[in-house]
Amino acid sequence: MELMTRTESWNITYTHALGETASWFFAQIRDNAKIYGKRCAKTNRVLVPPRAFSDETLLPTTDWVEVGPGGRIEAFTFVYEEFKNLPPPPYAFGYVLLDGADTAIGGYFKGVELTDPHQAAEFLAIGTRVITRFADQRTGDVLDFWFEVAPR
Amino acid sequence: MNQDRVGIIGIGQSPFAARRPDANYPDLVREAVVIAMADAKLDFDAIEAVVYSLSPDAMIGIGNAERLGVDAVGGRNKRFLRINTGGATGISSVSAAYYHVASGACDVVLTAGADKVGECGDSQSVLNKIWDPTYERQLPLGTINMLAMSAIRYMKLYGMTEEDMARVTVKNRRHASLNPNAHLRKEVTIQDVLDSRYISWPIKLLDCCPQSTGGAALVLASEKYIRDHHLDAVWITGLAHCAETYWMGDRMGANPTAEHADAYALSRSFQRAYKMAGITDPAKQVHVAELYAPFSNTEFHSIDAAGLTKPGESVPRLRDGEFDLGGRLPVNASGGTLCTNAIAVTAMARVAETALQVWARAGARQAKGARVGIASGNGGDHQIFGTMVIEA
């Protein structure tokens, strides 16, 4: 018998409130090209991206701490496959532990030759020093900055 | 544990495939329930509660699809509850069914669900939406690249290679070729895997699970009911969950609260389940394991986390064939998540397959003499884990 199908799509727009902590963080990125973490007073752990409370102590975080712009690569991947509603490949992104931070933040790596993934993987090996670069035109978002391997 | 045990008395699984044009979503749920009820040899009136296994709605494109599912599982006028812990949903649903019985609230409980991931053209786009819209949604995060980043940390810590990853696929495909319900049943070679295209380095196409369609259902009952009605059963002797931080970036750095290469919360969950089951040396006491591993590399940290090896030791042991069917401790004798992933019921299939093994009902994929088995499920951003010990 003939078996039929129907095609449907969901397209829903949300306006997410970012809250006080993230709003302050993004304003610093937009206005001053600086990245801040927030410190847990009990453990001294600096959380980046900043959160209003520590998941370990469950206490509110207290003071803002500027971190970076230098850091070390903690994780990376190169995406070669195209996924709907995600950026066109190839691209490199991953996580960087910014100087002064205790947790890593995600971002794109730019200036990476991705033709040979094995060479690229050596270039971005875990532990490699990177520098944070900021866009000239910033909107207050994590996409306002990216990472490049620090001059060696 | 002093209280009465809880047994599995019926198992139903679809033959999994990319698509099932002959069945819409409730048809597919119904199919699994019918198979499980026939296996349990019970009248449906015996079912007192239904736990509905359903992960993110967007994967099947039906909001709160448990609404449609109520009729399919025969839930009208019965206790009814939906469970969603992402990839762990299936094992969490079995746990919820277990608690219904263990609490004394019910004697016989059904858990069931289905997924049609193959109908979703955007599964990584759906999975990108599980990331926080404040800080991380803007990045192209998905489950593949999240676990690719686990792979590169595991490579750095323990020396896993792309060839080691390929060996997992080769083993699991060989196992799946013996499992009539598995989705990907074609055997492959190490070279086939290495030659497949990169998706998210170092994960290649053949290191990835498929997007599967199918359903699963289990019937659980109290020990008293099973004895009074002279039913056959295998027993859930230990179960647990454990969650860890949402933040992947917190699982890195100099002093992470949990290392992203490993599966810290999965190991904690296993320790809890083992304690309940009285298992003190899993490497010796466990005979068979069905561990949720949607990408080849993640089977290694799952074996480690289950306490079957020391961290990183799973790599040489797998190379030596220890986890093959016929090896010392078969892992994913069904072919596992790597060969079949209908997300809403994937972790239930891990429980079902473990139960079939210790019940000596696993057919061509039977691990000889298996009496004690373990199952696991991983959900969310590698964040919420469920584990179970099942014994004959």
Side-chain angles (χ1 to χ4, degrees):
Chain A
M1 64 176 288
E2 181 194 7
L3 295 168
M4 298 197 257
T5 60
R6 286 189 66 238
T7 300
E8 290 239 331
S9 61
W10 288 8
N11 184 0
I12 305 165
T13 302
Y14 299 87
T15 303
H16 296 290
L18 302 186
E20 291 179 357
T21 302
S23 296
W24 194 90
F25 169 79
F26 283 128
Q28 292 302 315
I29 288 174
R30 184 192 59 202
D31 301 340
N32 302 315
K34 287 185 173 175
I35 297 177
Y36 283 82
K38 237 181 154 189
R39 189 194 307 273
C40 169
K42 190 172 178 184
T43 60
N44 270 331
R45 211 159 152 252
V46 175
L47 301 177
V48 180
R51 283 144 257 170
F53 57 91
S54 157
D55 68 299
E56 276 187 304
T57 63
L58 303 179
L59 295 171
T61 50
T62 49
D63 44 324
W64 288 98
V65 180
E66 188 185 344
V67 296
R72 55 165 266 156
I73 296 175
E74 288 290 334
F76 62 89
T77 186
F78 318 125
V79 177
Y80 291 96
E81 186 79 359
E82 177 143 21
F83 296 105
K84 286 183 193 169
N85 301 315
L86 292 173
Y91 48 87
F93 84 110
Y95 282 79
V96 165
L97 186 69
L98 290 169
D99 296 340
D102 287 290
T103 64
I105 188 168
Y108 282 96
F109 296 108
K110 291 194 183 170
V112 187
E113 174 52 61
L114 293 174
T115 314
D116 179 344
H118 295 95
Q119 275 184 12
E122 280 177 33
F123 184 65
L124 289 188
I126 292 172
T128 300
R129 293 288 304 171
V130 293
I131 187 85
T132 311
R133 303 280 186 210
F134 290 87
D136 292 336
Q137 301 293 318
R138 295 182 299 276
T139 60
D141 191 78
V142 293
L143 298 181
D144 287 342
F145 65 87
W146 63 88
F147 306 111
E148 292 177 12
V149 170
R152 302 179 193 194
Chain B
M1 213 178 81
N2 297 321
Q3 66 194 95
D4 275 359
R5 294 181 297 175
V6 177
I8 296 172
I9 60 170
I11 298 172
Q13 292 187 82
S14 296
F16 290 91
R19 287 185 178 79
R20 281 286 303 275
D22 62 312
N24 65 17
Y25 174 72
D27 293 347
L28 206 55
V29 176
R30 184 80 208 128
E31 175 180 283
V33 171
V34 167
I35 301 170
M37 288 308 299
D39 192 48
K41 300 180 187 69
L42 275 189
D43 190 274
F44 198 78
D45 288 344
I47 302 291
E48 295 164 277
V50 183
V51 178
Y52 200 80
S53 192
L54 177 57
S55 45
D57 293 327
M59 206 60 82
I60 53 169
I62 307 169
N64 293 86
E66 72 274 17
R67 292 183 63 246
L68 267 171
V70 167
D71 293 345
V73 295
R76 198 167 56 90
N77 292 333
K78 295 192 192 291
R79 295 172 191 242
F80 184 91
L81 165 69
R82 173 193 174 173
I83 296 286
N84 175 9
T85 52
T89 296
I91 199 166
S92 301
S93 297
V94 182
S95 296
Y98 175 100
Y99 298 136
H100 273 77
V101 178
S103 67
C106 300
D107 273 318
V108 188
V109 178
L110 169 71
T111 179
D115 216 329
K116 304 195 96 180
V117 188
E119 288 186 359
C120 171
D122 289 323
S123 65
Q124 286 304 310
S125 172
V126 170
L127 290 166
N128 170 260
K129 303 292 185 286
I130 71 175
W131 268 273
D132 158 45
T134 301
Y135 292 127
E136 296 206 305
R137 179 79 59 74
Q138 305 91 313
L139 295 167
L141 282 157
T143 51
I144 305 176
N145 47 43
M146 166 187 72
L147 292 168
M149 289 193 257
S150 173
I152 71 135
R153 291 188 69 84
Y154 198 90
M155 283 171 153
K156 166 112 176 159
L157 270 174
Y158 306 117
M160 176 186 72
T161 65
E162 289 178 75
E163 198 171 309
D164 290 321
M165 291 166 61
R167 282 191 183 89
V168 175
T169 302
V170 170
K171 167 180 76 71
N172 288 352
R173 286 290 193 96
R174 193 187 309 129
H175 292 172
S177 75
L178 304 170
N179 177 4
N181 292 327
H183 177 174
L184 299 180
R185 301 187 62 199
K186 185 170 169 267
E187 290 199 53
V188 295
T189 65
I190 289 176
Q191 201 57 45
D192 291 336
V193 183
L194 293 176
D195 289 346
S196 65
R197 69 180 191 271
Y198 282 106
I199 305 295
S200 184
W201 194 90
I203 292 176
K204 291 172 281 297
L205 181 66
L206 295 187
D207 293 307
C208 296
C209 61
Q211 303 180 97
S212 308
T213 292
L218 291 178
V219 184
L220 274 61
S222 66
E223 184 163 19
K224 182 175 185 312
Y225 186 94
I226 289 166
R227 296 210 187 291
D228 287 352
H229 292 79
H230 311 290
L231 299 172
D232 196 11
V234 290
W235 307 96
I236 296 171
T237 55
L239 77 168
H241 276 81
C242 188
E244 64 182 53
T245 176
Y246 159 84
W247 299 97
M248 199 192 332
D250 289 17
R251 301 183 211 133
M252 304 168 187
N255 296 297
T257 52
E259 165 58 54
H260 189 51
D262 302 322
Y264 171 79
L266 177 60
S267 73
R268 285 294 294 268
S269 184
F270 266 118
Q271 286 160 18
R272 288 170 184 162
Y274 288 147
K275 188 178 177 197
M276 184 174 165
I279 287 177
T280 51
D281 187 353
K284 290 208 172 75
Q285 290 169 275
V286 170
H287 305 142
V288 69
E290 282 284 335
L291 305 176
Y292 189 103
F295 301 97
S296 60
N297 58 294
T298 65
E299 188 167 300
F300 290 117
H301 70 203
S302 301
I303 293 170
D304 299 341
L308 306 180
T309 51
K310 293 196 180 84
E313 223 176 71
S314 50
V315 176
R317 297 245 188 137
L318 190 130
R319 212 178 288 151
D320 291 344
E322 201 167 299
F323 307 120
D324 290 8
L325 256 178
R328 194 184 66 81
L329 201 168
V331 173
N332 292 326
S334 66
T337 308
L338 201 55
C339 299
T340 310
N341 196 358
I343 299 174
V345 293
T346 298
M348 191 183 293
R350 306 282 68 74
V351 176
E353 288 292 331
T354 302
L356 289 171
Q357 288 287 348
V358 300
W359 218 332
R361 291 176 54 196
R365 61 191 185 281
Q366 179 66 46
K368 209 173 161 190
R371 307 262 313 155
V372 179
I374 56 172
S376 61
N378 307 355
D381 167 25
H382 209 247
Q383 190 187 357
I384 300 161
F385 300 87
T387 51
M388 220 164 254
V389 180
I390 303 167
E391 300 186 52

